[in-house]
Amino acid sequence: MNSKRRSRYFFRLKIFKISFAVIATSLFLVSCGNTKNAVYFNNPTSLAINNEIADLEPVIQSNDLLSIVVSSVNAEAADLFNLSRNNSDQSSLNSGNTFKVSGYLVDQDGFINFPILGKIKASGISKKTLRDEITSRLVSEKLLLDPIVEIRYLNYKVSILGEVKNPSVLNVPSEKISLLEALGMAGDITIYGRRDNVTLIREENGVRRIRKIDLTSNEIFSSRYYYLQSNDIVYVQPNKAKVASSTGTKEWIPVVLSAISLAIIIAINVK
């Protein structure tokens, strides 16, 4: 092999190595996803959930709309404490139509205005605590005999945003929904969503707090954030593949591959 042929051989070999490295890098950028981050619960094991955590009752917040129904052996006397249609809160729809909702809106100071009893502090406590407070005052002030107070949320909702199939605001009539159920109702996390870094935004005692949740770990089952509370916001972050595609990283890859192919062809055919 003369020197000219030998230099041509090493030139082709060098082109091949460069081409191989660039193609491998390109394929890595296009696909190379970590399957560990694409599935839930990588280490499934038997697990018992602490009931004290699972049954943690949410606290009432400002702007919550509550249904409070009072009953007693004296039905006529109990009616004085129940909202009639005439006293219902009137709300407006985007279309301009109005509808009436029978409920107590917790004001910005955290109070509801209850018939006869007046203003009662509601925010920062659970439904059970508020129910006990109203029941106790009805009895102590001799307004009703053996009253029964039932309280429900009328606007219990959670928001699911980001890399899910159907981002939406979910109404929860049952007043109990887990993070996994909410994601399922939103169509589940897409292949481009980060299951290891889901953001939960929750308002607690007037302070908005941000929590990071790893759905690839079993720890979610024992977390106090397993069940969502009213007005919780869940945001699923996009993974690197989605960010790369949205910023145009993939757009130059076909151009690079074409240039490499052309360089290889030229190198092979050089005399």
Side-chain angles (χ1 to χ4, degrees):
M1 181 181 293
N2 57 39
S3 60
K4 185 177 180 180
R5 186 173 297 177
R6 186 166 50 245
S7 68
R8 187 184 303 138
Y9 168 78
F10 284 113
F11 174 74
R12 291 176 181 174
L13 182 61
K14 186 177 181 180
I15 290 293
F16 174 78
K17 289 181 178 179
I18 295 174
S19 302
F20 179 80
V22 174
I23 291 174
T25 303
S26 301
L27 293 175
F28 177 82
L29 291 174
V30 172
S31 57
C32 230
N34 187 349
T35 56
K36 184 178 179 180
N37 293 330
V39 297
Y40 298 102
F41 327 127
N42 284 298
N43 299 304
T45 57
S46 298
L47 181 67
I49 301 177
N50 188 333
N51 287 331
E52 293 182 1
I53 295 177
D55 296 331
L56 187 65
E57 187 175 1
V59 298
I60 300 169
Q61 304 284 346
S62 296
N63 297 319
D64 280 343
L65 188 62
L66 305 175
S67 166
I68 303 177
V69 178
V70 179
S71 58
S72 175
V73 291
N74 188 338
E76 186 175 348
D79 282 343
L80 296 174
F81 301 94
N82 295 320
L83 290 177
S84 65
R85 287 194 171 186
N86 293 330
N87 293 326
S88 300
D89 291 337
Q90 183 167 290
S91 302
S92 176
L93 297 172
N94 292 334
S95 61
N97 297 325
T98 60
F99 66 99
K100 292 184 177 181
V101 178
S102 182
Y104 296 90
L105 182 65
V106 183
D107 64 25
Q108 293 299 316
D109 295 323
F111 290 86
I112 59 171
N113 194 13
F114 200 74
I116 301 178
L117 298 181
K119 284 195 170 186
I120 300 176
K121 182 70 172 180
S123 67
I125 61 176
S126 66
K127 290 192 307 177
K128 180 181 182 304
T129 302
L130 178 59
R131 181 175 67 243
D132 292 343
E133 168 69 13
I134 294 175
T135 302
S136 175
R137 289 190 57 181
L138 290 174
V139 172
S140 64
E141 297 180 25
K142 299 181 180 180
L143 297 172
L144 286 178
L145 181 63
D146 297 328
I148 298 175
V149 180
E150 296 180 358
I151 303 177
R152 291 184 59 84
Y153 288 97
L154 293 177
N155 61 343
Y156 199 111
K157 64 184 185 301
V158 296
S159 302
I160 311 297
L161 308 173
E163 282 300 324
V164 293
K165 185 177 181 181
N166 302 307
S168 53
V169 177
L170 306 175
N171 293 312
V172 188
S174 65
E175 301 181 6
K176 188 175 184 179
I177 186 171
S178 70
L179 174 58
L180 300 179
E181 288 174 314
L183 290 172
M185 293 176 68
D188 200 6
I189 299 176
T190 70
I191 194 63
Y192 296 110
R194 289 192 59 181
R195 289 161 175 77
D196 63 334
N197 194 9
V198 176
T199 301
L200 172 64
I201 303 173
R202 172 175 295 175
E203 184 170 327
E204 298 175 317
N205 299 321
V207 179
R208 291 185 180 88
R209 304 184 186 278
I210 298 177
R211 304 296 181 192
K212 301 295 184 178
I213 299 174
D214 184 1
L215 293 180
T216 66
S217 168
N218 290 337
E219 293 180 2
I220 179 61
F221 293 110
S222 57
S223 169
R224 65 188 300 261
Y225 302 105
Y226 178 78
Y227 283 103
L228 299 178
Q229 296 184 9
S230 182
N231 299 315
D232 276 357
I233 299 174
V234 177
Y235 174 68
V236 180
Q237 296 186 11
N239 58 23
K240 292 181 180 179
K242 181 59 177 289
V243 173
S245 64
S246 63
T247 56
T249 302
K250 291 182 179 180
E251 295 179 0
W252 55 266
I253 293 179
V255 177
V256 173
L257 294 179
S258 298
I260 292 172
S261 300
L262 179 61
I264 294 174
I265 293 173
I266 295 173
I268 292 175
N269 290 279
V270 169
K271 293 182 179 181

